[in-house]
C-alpha cells in the first residue's frame, strides 16, 4: 500500500521565484539589492518585467518568464508542480485590483498544495531569507498525489 504522504527535499541552493505587482516593484528591487549577497547563492527566476528590472538594477541573474497578466504567474506555478521552484517572494499590493487576480490566487493555492514557502511582503521575506533553513536542505511532506488519484478513481 502506498503512503498517504511523500517527502520532498528543498536543496541547499534554493530555486527562488521573485514576483511583484507594479506598485511594489521598486520595493522588491530594493530588497533584492539589500540581500544580493544571499540571493546570488541561489537560482532566481521571476515574472517578465520584474525579473528584467531586478537584473538591470542589481546585476543579479534572474531567469524571466512572461509578465504576470500574460501567464507568468501560471508559469511559476507550473515550475512549483515540476519541483523547479521551491521558494516564492511575491510583493503583492493588497490595495489595488489586479486584472490577473485569478492567476495570482492559483499561484498562491499551488504553493500551499506543494507546501512551498511564500512571502507576500518584505517582513516575511526578511524572516524567510534569514532562516537557518536557507543554508541547509529542508524536508517537507506533501500529499501523495498518485495515491490520492487512485483512491478517488476507486470511489467514483
Amino acid at each position: 500500500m502506498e503512503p498517504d504522504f511523500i517527502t520532498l527535499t528543498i536543496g541547499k541552493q534554493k530555486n527562488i521565484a521573485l514576483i511583484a505587482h507594479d506598485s511594489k516593484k521598486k520595493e522588491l528591487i530594493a530588497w533584492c539589492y539589500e540581500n544580493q549577497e544571499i540571493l546570488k547563492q541561489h537560482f532566481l527566476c521571476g515574472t517578465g518585467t520584474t525579473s528584467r528590472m531586478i537584473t538591470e538594477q542589481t546585476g543579479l541573474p534572474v531567469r524571466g518568464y512572461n509578465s504576470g497578466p500574460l501567464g507568468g504567474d501560471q508559469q511559476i506555478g507550473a515550475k512549483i508542480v515540476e519541483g523547479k521552484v521551491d521558494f516564492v517572494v511575491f510583493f503583492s499590493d493588497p490595495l489595488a485590483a489586479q486584472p490577473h487576480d485569478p492567476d495570482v490566487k492559483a499561484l498562491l493555492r499551488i504553493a500551499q498544495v506543494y507546501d512551498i514557502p511564500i512571502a507576500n511582503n518584505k517582513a516575511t521575506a526578511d524572516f524567510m531569507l534569514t532562516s537557518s533553513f536557507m543554508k541547509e536542505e529542508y524536508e517537507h511532506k506533501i500529499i501523495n498525489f498518485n495515491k490520492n488519484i487512485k483512491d478517488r478513481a476507486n470511489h467514483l
Side-chain angles (χ1 to χ4, degrees):
M1 181 190 275
E2 291 183 72
D4 291 335
F5 294 89
I6 59 171
T7 301
L8 297 181
T9 303
I10 296 174
K12 285 184 179 182
Q13 183 181 37
K14 311 297 186 256
N15 298 301
I16 302 172
L18 302 167
I19 307 166
H21 285 144
D22 288 348
S23 62
K24 296 288 187 172
K25 289 187 189 327
K26 286 182 183 177
E27 184 179 352
L28 179 61
I29 292 165
W31 182 83
C32 288
Y33 184 79
E34 293 166 10
N35 293 290
Q36 61 185 324
E37 289 304 311
I38 296 170
L39 292 173
K40 72 182 180 184
Q41 298 171 36
H42 304 280
F43 173 77
L44 307 174
C45 66
T47 50
T49 309
T50 303
S51 61
R52 182 179 48 79
M53 291 174 74
I54 292 169
T55 297
E56 287 174 357
Q57 296 183 38
T58 69
L60 289 166
V62 184
R63 185 188 193 292
Y65 293 106
N66 288 349
S67 174
L70 299 176
D73 299 320
Q74 291 185 348
Q75 286 179 297
I76 299 289
K79 294 299 176 189
I80 290 172
V81 172
E82 294 171 14
K84 295 181 180 172
V85 166
D86 44 38
F87 190 106
V88 178
V89 176
F90 185 171
F91 283 18
S92 60
D93 184 350
L95 301 178
Q98 303 297 327
H100 62 297
D101 193 51
D103 299 334
V104 173
K105 286 181 178 165
L107 172 62
L108 297 174
R109 181 186 165 282
I110 208 70
Q112 285 181 297
V113 168
Y114 283 84
D115 195 31
I116 297 300
I118 184 164
N120 291 85
N121 57 39
K122 183 181 180 302
T124 307
D126 287 342
F127 272 79
M128 285 173 38
L129 204 64
T130 58
S131 165
S132 62
F133 292 120
M134 283 301 295
K135 296 177 183 174
E136 59 189 60
E137 289 185 347
Y138 177 78
E139 290 187 348
H140 59 122
K141 293 185 184 301
I142 66 165
I143 294 170
N144 182 343
F145 297 109
N146 289 331
K147 180 181 184 302
N148 183 272
I149 290 168
K150 287 177 190 172
D151 290 349
R152 288 177 58 204
N154 289 334
H155 289 91
L156 294 177

